[in-house]
Amino acid sequence: YAVRDDVLDLPEMSEVDVVRHFTRMSTWNAAVDFGLYPLGSCTMKYNPKINERMARLPGFAQAHPMQPEALSQGFLELAHTLERHLAEVSGMDRVSLQPAAGAQGELAGIMMIRAYHEKRGEKRTKVLIPDTAHGTNPASAALNSYECVEIPSGPDGILHPDAVAAAMSDDVAAIMITNPNTLGLFEKHIARISEIVHAGGGLVYGDGANLNATLGIARPGDLGIDVMHFNLHKTFSTPHGGGGPGSGPVGVKNVLAPYLPVPLIARDETADGPRFRLDWDLPRSIGKLHGYFGNVGMFVRAYTYLRSLGPDGLRRCAEMAVLNANYVLARLRDAYHVPYDEPVMHECVLSDRKLEETGVTTLDIAKRLIDYGYHPPTTYFPLIVHGALMIEPTESESLEGLDRFVDTLLAIEREARENPELVTGAPQR
């Protein structure tokens, strides 16, 4: 009964006109393949096409999630090897690939911390969270029924041991800390902070969102971190957002290994060589987090990325990410307010304070960038910076690409002073 009696008044179009129309519209979407994607704290780096090619190999792309282990040996070996690579990069002892996103990996980490304290018969009720934290940090703690205690950062934008020591008590289960933090600054007191928390019986959760800044340079596990998640879409170049799905493996030191989600991947030595299987025998596990085993295509991409670059290449990525962020900061320092004027790691934070007299705000700047063909950077975050512009260029961008982006922001600053209506009325097209 849904069949029309009349014909819609649709134009008669040739196939080539229709194809060109929709193809042209598809290029209006923002994507890292079209240009710089400067979202701070999100690490929207370029995804190498070799990763996509490997993920499309029939043995991976066409495998059924319920096929027996005997027919999944290639995937299980890849996943097991990826776990070991991630453990080596981070300084962790064990890794589970199961969490479906960074936020779920973070949730799993706090669930393991809770299970650890319960096994010891301790009723700890609080989690310490710096004021520079990602929003998922208090969310993960609250979902585990913990009270979130905010710890203020110092005037230099980093966390200081005395502030942590003052907040420590017998009811603190953990501290959640991002390093580098969301201001793009390295938490240089992290080792001492870890010592304070451990001395009080707590554990240290490391938010791995900004690992892109320290690859091959510093390992969180060597700095006192007990558990952390990895954002494969941020650090290891798997697709982000609408190009997902995401993947957020979680790594732990041995003290938390008994509580990892099941199943784990076990390697058995046999007369015919190594065999891999799913191990469900973990009595203290927090349980299963994901249907089947996880977002398998993301594992293949991350594995390809790691093997393509190797240790030296990973370190070079971090070095270039840090260099690019400091270059952007140096060129924009005079035009925009810099709330914490320190050398940064992978991202820099500016604000609209210098433009208050013009009436132009951070939101206006972000919308004006759209007129110039750029996706805006992260705005109004971190929350401790009023009118924040958070820019992360990543290591993917060339000097010429960075200069084009910086020149655009400088042009917008001049427009704000000479013709502010042009900016406050953005986007113009």
Side-chain angles (χ1 to χ4, degrees):
Y1 297 103
V3 178
R4 290 181 178 272
D5 293 327
D6 57 336
V7 179
L8 290 177
D9 187 20
L10 296 175
E12 291 292 332
M13 304 291 293
S14 67
E15 178 180 318
V16 67
D17 287 334
V18 173
V19 168
R20 286 174 178 171
H21 169 70
F22 286 104
T23 302
R24 182 171 59 253
M25 285 201 301
S26 74
T27 66
W28 296 345
N29 292 323
V32 74
D33 285 358
F34 291 133
L36 174 67
Y37 219 126
L39 281 169
S41 201
C42 282
T43 317
M44 303 292 277
K45 62 204 285 180
Y46 177 73
N47 308 136
K49 296 301 174 275
I50 184 64
N51 301 1
E52 303 301 315
R53 183 177 180 183
M54 294 300 102
R56 286 166 172 75
L57 289 174
F60 296 123
Q62 297 177 17
H64 193 283
M66 294 185 69
Q67 68 188 33
E69 291 175 2
L71 300 179
S72 302
Q73 288 298 298
F75 160 68
L76 291 174
E77 181 176 2
L78 180 146
H80 184 271
T81 307
L82 177 59
E83 288 180 354
R84 301 313 308 157
H85 287 341
L86 293 176
E88 176 62 27
V89 166
S90 62
M92 295 289 119
D93 295 316
R94 295 293 300 274
V95 171
S96 168
L97 302 178
Q98 193 178 126
Q104 193 182 42
E106 184 179 297
L107 178 66
I110 300 302
M111 290 173 68
M112 286 187 277
I113 288 174
R114 185 176 183 84
Y116 165 85
H117 288 302
E118 288 178 348
K119 175 64 177 176
R120 293 163 58 92
E122 297 179 349
K123 303 295 183 182
R124 294 177 178 255
T125 60
K126 297 178 180 178
V127 171
L128 307 182
I129 301 178
D131 58 5
T132 55
H134 287 116
T136 50
N137 291 179
S140 296
L143 283 170
N144 277 279
S145 301
Y146 283 117
E147 175 188 348
C148 301
V149 179
E150 184 176 276
I151 309 297
S153 52
D156 52 359
I158 63 174
L159 202 58
H160 287 262
D162 55 352
V164 177
M168 275 303 298
S169 62
D170 292 341
D171 54 2
V172 171
I175 186 171
M176 301 183 77
I177 189 166
T178 306
N179 192 27
N181 65 28
T182 55
L183 294 168
L185 304 175
F186 189 80
E187 294 284 359
K188 61 184 179 182
H189 304 300
I190 181 63
R192 177 60 186 142
I193 289 170
S194 297
E195 290 176 356
I196 292 170
V197 175
H198 288 150
L203 296 177
V204 182
Y205 185 93
D207 184 322
N210 294 340
L211 185 64
N212 202 55
T214 60
L215 286 173
I217 300 172
R219 304 195 312 171
D222 298 337
L223 302 174
I225 303 298
D226 299 300
V227 50
M228 64 175 289
H229 74 271
F230 306 82
N231 296 90
L232 296 191
H233 57 281
K234 293 187 179 186
T235 309
F236 299 100
S237 84
T238 70
H240 199 162
S247 183
V250 60
V252 300
K253 287 302 189 77
N254 281 328
V255 68
L256 288 175
Y259 309 98
L260 281 165
V262 288
L264 295 176
I265 301 176
R267 172 179 168 140
D268 299 324
E269 297 298 334
T270 72
D272 297 325
R275 302 293 292 177
F276 299 87
R277 59 182 171 84
L278 297 179
D279 183 6
W280 295 85
D281 187 18
L282 218 66
R284 300 182 198 170
S285 169
I286 61 171
K288 188 168 174 58
L289 297 176
H290 194 290
Y292 302 111
F293 191 73
N295 291 330
V296 172
M298 301 304 110
F299 306 162
V300 180
R301 290 170 171 87
Y303 176 84
T304 304
Y305 184 74
L306 279 161
R307 292 301 299 267
S308 297
L309 290 173
D312 293 341
L314 289 178
R315 182 185 179 99
R316 182 63 173 167
C317 283
E319 291 171 342
M320 291 305 299
V322 172
L323 179 63
N324 284 354
N326 279 280
Y327 179 76
V328 169
L329 178 63
R331 286 208 57 200
L332 293 174
R333 170 178 284 114
D334 293 335
Y336 292 88
H337 172 242
V338 181
Y340 297 91
D341 199 359
E342 302 281 345
V344 297
M345 297 294 288
H346 60 303
E347 61 195 4
C348 61
V349 177
L350 310 169
S351 90
D352 59 4
R353 181 183 297 181
K354 287 187 176 181
L355 298 175
E356 284 182 356
E357 62 190 35
T358 69
V360 170
T361 67
T362 289
L363 183 59
D364 298 324
I365 297 167
K367 290 181 177 179
R368 185 58 174 154
L369 274 168
I370 297 173
D371 284 337
Y372 283 93
Y374 284 104
H375 191 288
T378 299
T379 57
Y380 299 103
F381 184 81
L383 300 178
I384 62 172
V385 176
H386 180 75
L389 275 164
M390 190 183 194
I391 301 169
E392 182 176 1
T394 81
E395 72 276 10
S396 305
E397 303 304 321
S398 66
L399 178 61
E400 294 79 9
L402 292 179
D403 279 336
R404 285 193 296 269
F405 177 69
V406 169
D407 288 344
T408 299
L409 279 171
L410 293 175
I412 293 173
E413 187 267 345
R414 288 193 298 271
E415 290 174 349
R417 298 192 181 283
E418 299 169 3
N419 189 6
E421 291 80 10
L422 196 62
V423 184
T424 56
Q428 301 287 342
R429 57 185 175 86

